[in-house]
Structure formats: C-alpha cells, structure tokens
Amino acid sequence: MLGKKLKQYREITKDTGETIANIAGIKRAYLSQIENEKKVPPFDTFIRIVKALASRSLITTENAKVILTDENYQAFLKKYYESEIGKKSKISESELREFFFNSFNANNYFDDNNKIDVFIIIYATDEIRKAKDDWWYNYFLSDIVNYSFHTKEHITDNEWEILNQISSLRTNNTYTTNDTKVVNTLNELLDKKTVIVDLNSIVDKNMKLFLGGQSLTNSEMVMLKVALDAIKYNRLK
C-alpha cells in the first residue's frame, strides 16, 4: 500500500526514480522495490522519500495562499532586489506583487523570460521553499493515513508500524519532522526480544499510544489512567 502511494506521488512530480532516490540518499533499485511493494522501508527511509517528493513538488492554486503570504512576499522581494535579475529588472514592485499574490497570473507586462526570472527567485527564497516543502510533506502524510483508513487493500504489520509512527508525528493537525527517536516496539517483539514497559510512563508527554493504528485521544488517555489507578488501588487493599 505504502509503495504504491509513493509511486503515485512521484508520478505527480514527474520525476524519475533516479532523481528521487538520489535526493533521499538511497539506491534507485531499492526505491523500485519499495514502489513495487516488494519491500517496506524503515521509517526514517520512508520519511526521507516523502521529504524528497515534497522538495520536488510545486506551488499550486491549492496551496498558494498558504505559501505565498505577506511575510514570504517580503522575503522574496528582498532576495529579488539583491539578485542580478532584480537589479536589471524594469518590473515595478506593484507588478511583482500582483504576480506573486494572484496564483502566478502575470499581467500583460510580463513576457515569458520575465516569468521565468521571477519564478526562479520565488523558488529560491528559503522561506517560500520551506513553506512549500512543509505543505507537501503534510499533504502526503495526511493522504497516506486517510487512504489507510478507507482502503480494502491488505496492510502488512510493517506498514502498520509506519502508519503508527506517522501518527506519532501529528500535533495540532500538523505532521512534524521525525527529529526525535521513535522506539519501534513491534519490531522488537517480532525479533523475539522482551519489551519491558512501566505503565506509569503512559502519562509522559513524550509517550504516544495507539490502538488499531490510531493514536489515543485525550479522553481515552484519561480512561486508561483511571483503569491504571484502579489497579494501583486494588494492590493496596
């Protein structure tokens, strides 16, 4: 299931497997095995592939309002006028603003060369590039999770583990990057290792618990804590 989705996204970006594999830091043959559902990658590799795809995705009418903000316009403007392109340009600031905030619908003043020059600076602006990459990163992960809830396809244990770890990155409807280490207890169990968990740790803010592939809600966490408190009380009797 996961490999098919990654291939679908790569087809949207119109990139070769070689391009995405190079950005993700893996071999082309390995990416092909992943896309053809022959292998499920480790979580960190999966995320690197998603980030590679996000880096190759474009600003569209669907995400332009989120990415092309007033703040990012100021960052673009600064970079534009500092560049050789901007220094030689005869385009007025008002015309740049119109182009920037109207989904790239240039007025008659812009010829094709001007459009290309402005596009180059827009995509080269760090703040815009980060906003774009973050939007697509969240889009891909959200789409994968939503698809997993509705598909009738078989989802393997390894794929469920990745889905669980994706959910652990979700905070306030946004998927953060996986900068912190996630302990893969399912793989530990599959390796026939003994996993010891102190149930007191479930109240730790860094602990993420899942049931059937979905993270526990705050109310469900309260219910679980009440059950554990009942066990503690029973031991004291």
Side-chain angles (χ1 to χ4, degrees):
M1 186 277 286
L2 293 178
K4 184 180 75 173
K5 294 299 289 181
L6 292 175
K7 184 175 182 179
Q8 175 187 323
Y9 302 146
R10 182 172 63 78
E11 290 172 347
I12 291 174
T13 68
K14 297 181 181 180
D15 282 305
T16 64
E18 188 75 30
T19 297
I20 297 302
N22 286 339
I23 297 172
I26 60 177
K27 292 186 180 296
R28 171 67 186 93
Y30 184 43
L31 177 61
S32 178
Q33 289 176 318
I34 293 170
E35 289 184 342
N36 291 312
E37 312 270 279
K38 294 180 180 178
K39 287 193 175 182
V40 177
F43 183 62
D44 62 336
T45 302
F46 170 81
I47 289 295
R48 290 207 310 274
I49 296 171
V50 171
K51 288 181 177 179
L53 291 163
S55 74
R56 297 290 296 172
S57 299
L58 301 176
I59 301 171
T60 67
T61 54
E62 186 177 1
N63 58 33
K65 288 184 178 180
V66 176
I67 298 168
L68 303 179
T69 63
D70 284 318
E71 184 177 358
N72 286 342
Y73 174 68
Q74 294 304 319
F76 154 74
L77 209 58
K78 182 175 184 295
K79 191 171 187 70
Y80 183 80
Y81 284 125
E82 288 177 350
S83 70
E84 290 301 316
I85 291 173
K87 289 175 182 177
K88 298 176 182 177
S89 175
K90 296 181 180 180
I91 303 172
S92 70
E93 194 274 332
S94 61
E95 289 169 322
L96 283 173
R97 187 177 186 85
E98 179 183 346
F99 182 84
F100 188 92
F101 285 109
N102 285 282
S103 301
F104 301 163
N105 293 321
N107 57 34
N108 293 331
Y109 184 86
F110 282 61
D111 60 27
D112 287 340
N113 288 333
N114 284 329
K115 289 179 186 179
I116 293 171
D117 288 345
V118 175
F119 276 131
I120 289 172
I121 304 301
I122 286 175
Y123 279 97
T125 302
D126 291 341
E127 292 85 349
I128 293 173
R129 187 169 61 248
K130 182 180 185 306
K132 173 190 71 70
D133 292 356
D134 286 349
W135 191 92
W136 281 105
Y137 172 80
N138 274 271
Y139 174 85
F140 291 145
L141 294 184
S142 296
D143 185 60
I144 286 170
V145 170
N146 291 336
Y147 183 82
S148 72
F149 290 153
H150 299 98
T151 185
K152 294 182 179 179
E153 294 180 46
H154 173 68
I155 300 177
T156 67
D157 288 342
N158 286 338
E159 287 179 321
W160 272 121
E161 182 63 20
I162 287 180
L163 290 167
N164 286 341
Q165 293 189 57
I166 291 173
S167 296
S168 73
L169 301 177
R170 187 177 175 88
T171 304
N172 297 325
N173 296 320
T174 300
Y175 291 98
T176 59
T177 55
N178 62 322
D179 296 327
T180 55
K181 181 174 176 58
V182 178
V183 178
N184 189 329
T185 55
L186 178 58
N187 283 352
E188 295 291 307
L189 291 171
L190 290 174
D191 289 339
K192 298 182 179 180
K193 296 179 180 177
T194 299
V195 177
I196 299 174
V197 178
D198 186 340
L199 293 180
N200 282 319
S201 65
I202 69 166
V203 297
D204 189 285
K205 65 179 181 179
N206 293 319
M207 176 67 75
K208 298 285 186 179
L209 298 179
F210 299 84
L211 180 64
Q214 299 186 49
S215 59
L216 269 62
T217 64
N218 289 336
S219 60
E220 290 170 337
M221 288 293 292
V222 170
M223 293 166 60
L224 183 56
K225 189 174 184 303
V226 169
L228 292 174
D229 287 343
I231 294 173
K232 293 176 185 177
Y233 176 77
N234 186 63
R235 288 181 174 182
L236 294 174
K237 291 173 62 177

